[in-house]
Amino acid sequence: METTPAVAAGRGAGPDRQPVAEALTSPNEELPEALTPEELAAQWEEEKPPAAGPLANAASSLVVLAIGLGALALSVAMGLGTPEKPEPGLWPFLTSCVMVALAIFQLVWGRHNRDAEKFTRMSLSPLTGLATLAAMVTLMPVIGFELPSLILCIIWMKFLGSETWRSALLVSAIVVAAFYGIFVLALGTSIPHLF
């Protein structure tokens, strides 16, 4: 009975057997050379996108600060309540406070951060995600959560995540069905829904 290279590799290398690396590669194919940590760090340094300057760091901090202050005002308008009897604005208020604090910290001390990347075309992806999320929230009270959630998942998976159409459609349908099962059927929440 003839032994395949994979089986021989599994048994280990011996005088009459090929070493594992040779058994799994063709004779003309060489294994990539292992890099030292210093070489790997140098390679990453060469391949990384250009760094953002102090102006871009300050601009991004101001955007986060503006969003945090807007969310802070909206959460106060919804009502905070008390820790024992929280109202709808309490958790958004706390989250907004963290956003504002982090934005101020970044604005004051993080201006000269050299790890931040320069704004590129890929920087629009978060804005696309935010815009589609806002559209979903706007449409939910009008037509329920099923269709807006399905469209949101498809856009995020296909266009922002670069998934195939088949996986984007399948996973989106499963996610919406799971949310429907949990929040409408199992918990009976008052989330707007069509069915």
Side-chain angles (χ1 to χ4, degrees):
M1 185 166 159
E2 193 173 326
T3 306
T4 63
V7 173
R11 291 184 187 153
D16 58 339
R17 296 188 195 113
Q18 293 178 317
V20 174
E22 289 178 21
L24 298 177
T25 60
S26 66
N28 297 332
E29 190 179 333
E30 292 184 25
L31 288 174
E33 192 176 313
L35 298 175
T36 65
E38 293 80 16
E39 293 170 333
L40 191 57
Q43 182 181 352
W44 287 345
E45 189 67 29
E46 290 173 10
E47 294 174 356
K48 78 176 188 179
L55 184 62
N57 285 340
S60 61
S61 301
L62 289 172
V63 168
V64 173
L65 182 63
I67 293 171
L69 290 173
L72 199 66
L74 289 173
S75 61
V76 169
M78 289 189 335
L80 302 179
T82 63
E84 295 82 22
K85 291 185 179 182
E87 290 188 21
L90 182 62
W91 288 110
F93 175 79
L94 295 175
T95 306
S96 304
C97 287
V98 171
M99 279 181 69
V100 168
L102 290 174
I104 291 171
F105 178 84
Q106 179 67 21
L107 188 61
V108 175
W109 289 284
R111 285 181 303 182
H112 304 292
N113 182 4
R114 298 189 185 276
D115 289 336
E117 295 177 5
K118 188 175 184 179
F119 286 108
T120 62
R121 189 169 178 258
M122 290 299 294
S123 304
L124 296 176
S125 294
L127 293 177
T128 304
L130 184 63
T132 53
L133 187 62
M136 185 194 89
V137 170
T138 304
L139 289 173
M140 267 179 50
V142 179
I143 60 173
F145 85 94
E146 296 95 342
L147 292 177
S149 298
L150 183 66
I151 293 169
L152 176 82
C153 286
I154 291 170
I155 290 172
W156 282 15
M157 291 191 67
K158 177 61 186 163
F159 301 107
L160 299 181
S162 301
E163 296 290 335
T164 63
W165 275 110
R166 188 173 81 176
S167 67
L169 294 172
L170 180 65
V171 172
S172 298
I174 290 171
V175 165
V176 173
F179 274 99
Y180 187 86
I182 292 168
F183 292 106
V184 176
L185 299 178
L187 298 175
T189 61
S190 60
I191 186 170
H193 55 90
L194 282 174
F195 310 107

